[in-house]
Amino acid sequence: MTTEEARHSAGYWYDERTRIDAVDVLNALRRYRSAENAAQRRAREALGVGENALLALRVLLDAEQAGRHVNSKQLAEELGITAASTSALVDRLVRSGHVERHPDPHDRRGVFLTASGESMRQALNVLDQLDDSGAAVASTLDERDIRVIVAFLEEMTRVVDHIAPEESQADDVAVA
């Protein structure tokens, strides 16, 4: 038997469908991301808001549950957006009835923000269910599996965060 024959016959007693490899892991990760994105899309559609607005509402609800107040500056920091973008976002959310401004009792010039509306809270419940379901599944893993999965996901995050689109060749051409 040649080396080539041995390489192709190694594991011949295993059904190909029982093998799990890197592509299967990446496909499972993609399916999860698609399902999670669909759940978030359903919540955004129920609220009639965009992605940053949904994130802002989540920040405000989390702060409320923790007994904290959030102002626009803190919201901008949480979302990683500019003060101007935050101001426009908050204005839209106030106009749509999703957010309310309140005077800060400790700073007469300050304003803090709160989420409003029962229907909005129900829509955000979809995301809480997603979090709770994920936590329930993760709690079934043993410590070794958790370490492996966390290390894998952190490395995937690092790799993805460092991917940048190539600059177009037009940027490299000098204007004559």
Side-chain angles (χ1 to χ4, degrees):
M1 178 181 280
T2 68
T3 305
E4 187 64 27
E5 290 170 339
R7 189 176 316 143
H8 289 304
S9 65
Y12 66 89
W13 55 87
Y14 294 114
D15 182 345
E16 282 295 316
R17 291 171 295 175
T18 63
R19 293 184 54 212
I20 296 178
D21 61 17
V23 173
D24 295 316
V25 172
L26 294 176
N27 283 335
L29 189 58
R30 285 184 187 105
R31 286 189 304 273
Y32 170 76
R33 283 191 342 243
S34 293
E36 183 182 39
N37 287 338
Q40 290 180 358
R41 187 189 72 252
R42 289 189 302 272
R44 286 192 314 268
E45 288 171 355
L47 289 168
V49 299
E51 187 173 348
N52 274 347
L54 185 63
L55 293 172
L57 292 169
R58 169 59 70 79
V59 167
L60 296 176
L61 287 174
D62 288 348
E64 180 182 319
Q65 288 177 342
R68 295 182 298 111
H69 292 146
V70 174
N71 62 29
S72 289
K73 180 181 177 188
Q74 293 163 326
L75 186 60
E77 290 169 1
E78 282 278 332
L79 298 178
I81 60 176
T82 66
S85 294
T86 304
S87 180
L89 175 63
V90 168
D91 287 346
R92 281 194 309 273
L93 288 170
V94 167
R95 278 194 307 273
S96 66
H98 294 306
V99 169
E100 296 173 350
R101 291 183 174 105
H102 303 278
D104 186 334
H106 305 293
D107 178 0
R108 64 187 171 128
R109 294 179 298 158
V111 173
F112 68 89
L113 307 167
T114 60
S116 61
E118 186 56 34
S119 64
M120 182 253 328
R121 291 176 195 278
Q122 290 172 353
L124 286 174
N125 189 39
V126 169
L127 296 179
D128 288 339
Q129 288 174 9
L130 180 66
D131 291 346
D132 293 345
S133 298
V137 170
S139 72
T140 66
L141 299 169
D142 65 38
E143 188 176 333
R144 181 184 171 281
D145 289 342
I146 290 172
R147 280 196 304 271
V148 168
I149 293 168
V150 167
F152 167 74
L153 292 174
E154 286 175 348
E155 183 64 10
M156 289 295 292
T157 300
R158 187 190 68 74
V159 169
V160 170
D161 279 348
H162 287 89
I163 295 174
E166 292 183 30
E167 293 183 23
S168 73
Q169 292 179 356
D171 293 342
D172 297 336
V173 176
V175 176

